[in-house]
Amino acid sequence: YKMTEERELIDSVKVAYDAGYRLFDTAQMYGNEAAVGKAIKELSVPRNEIFVTTKVAEANQGYDKVIASVEESLKKLQLDYVDLLLVHWPIHQHFFETWKAFEALKEQGLTKSIGTSNYGMVHLEYLATKANEMPVLNQLEVHPYLSQEAMINFDRKNHIVTQAWAPLGRGRIFEDPAILKIAKHHGKSAAQIILRWHLQRGDSFIPKSVHPERIKQNAD
């Protein structure tokens, strides 16, 4: 997200892979699927060693548009399939058609798994009335200032993994006195304390950075 400089993105993916990262998350809306594709190609590793997620933008929702846009995303990514395909945001128009297309893409093998992003309880309950299969994962904004416990419990009860986007919150969270106190006590950075909080809660999370040292620090 917000990575637009191609070389910087490619270098970030390489550093991340070397640091042990295996999941790479992109989206049509980010405008960088082609750069992610180049980065993956440059890694030159077996396809089953990495996990790639992309998301369908609001403008591409609706059955035919979803199918066409995912085929385009795969071309940009230079992949035969993605591991996880998400609906980026819920929109009322095309709500069920979009999901029907997702189920078809999974059946065709163009994605291994299907999920949602930014879906609340009402969206997931509504989806359940017509879906043949439910999302395996729901991506939400989750961090210590937005713990999302009710949604996480709801997802868990419905066998849906919650994955935190923006797991490090916004900049001000790094200055939080409680977090800084814990960080000092453990000899860690504020970011490391926040990610450890996610880990101990059982959240899946996807931290983002373009700085090699921070990428390594986050993995640690």
Side-chain angles (χ1 to χ4, degrees), residues 3 11-25 40 43 45-46 48-52 167-168 191-192 195 205-220:
M3 284 189 182
D11 290 344
S12 297
V13 167
K14 282 184 174 172
V15 169
Y17 185 85
D18 290 341
Y21 291 77
R22 292 296 178 268
L23 187 158
F24 299 97
D25 177 284
I40 290 166
L43 283 179
V45 296
N48 62 4
E49 270 195 29
I50 53 166
F51 189 104
V52 181
L168 295 170
Q192 286 175 318
L195 294 179
F205 52 91
I206 44 171
K208 183 210 77 134
S209 181
V210 294
H211 306 288
E213 284 319 303
R214 283 191 208 151
I215 289 170
K216 292 171 194 167
Q217 192 184 72
N218 288 343
D220 193 38

Side-chain angles (χ1 to χ4, degrees), residues 21 29 39 42-43 51 53 67 82 84 86 90 95 99 116 118 131 180 183 210:
Y21 291 77
M29 191 186 86
E42 284 191 26
L43 283 179
F51 189 104
T53 302
I67 303 288
V82 286
L84 178 63
L86 304 179
F95 188 82
W99 193 249
T116 53
N118 305 299
L180 289 173
V210 294

Side-chain angles (χ1 to χ4, degrees), residues 6 12 17 24 27 35 38 48 71-72 75 77-78 93 107 111 113 133 137 176 181 194 201 203 208 214:
E6 188 179 87
S12 297
Y17 185 85
F24 299 97
K38 280 188 186 176
N48 62 4
E71 286 172 353
E72 184 60 30
K75 272 186 204 160
L77 289 162
Q78 301 181 60
Q93 194 183 17
E107 210 171 283
T111 182
S113 293
E133 59 179 289
L137 180 143
D176 187 287
K181 188 179 176 184
I194 295 165
R201 287 196 344 150
D203 301 343
K208 183 210 77 134
R214 283 191 208 151

Side-chain angles (χ1 to χ4, degrees), residues 18 25 30 55 142 159 171 182 191 206:
D18 290 341
D25 177 284
Y30 302 165
K55 313 177 198 84
V142 185
H159 313 290
I182 298 165
I206 44 171

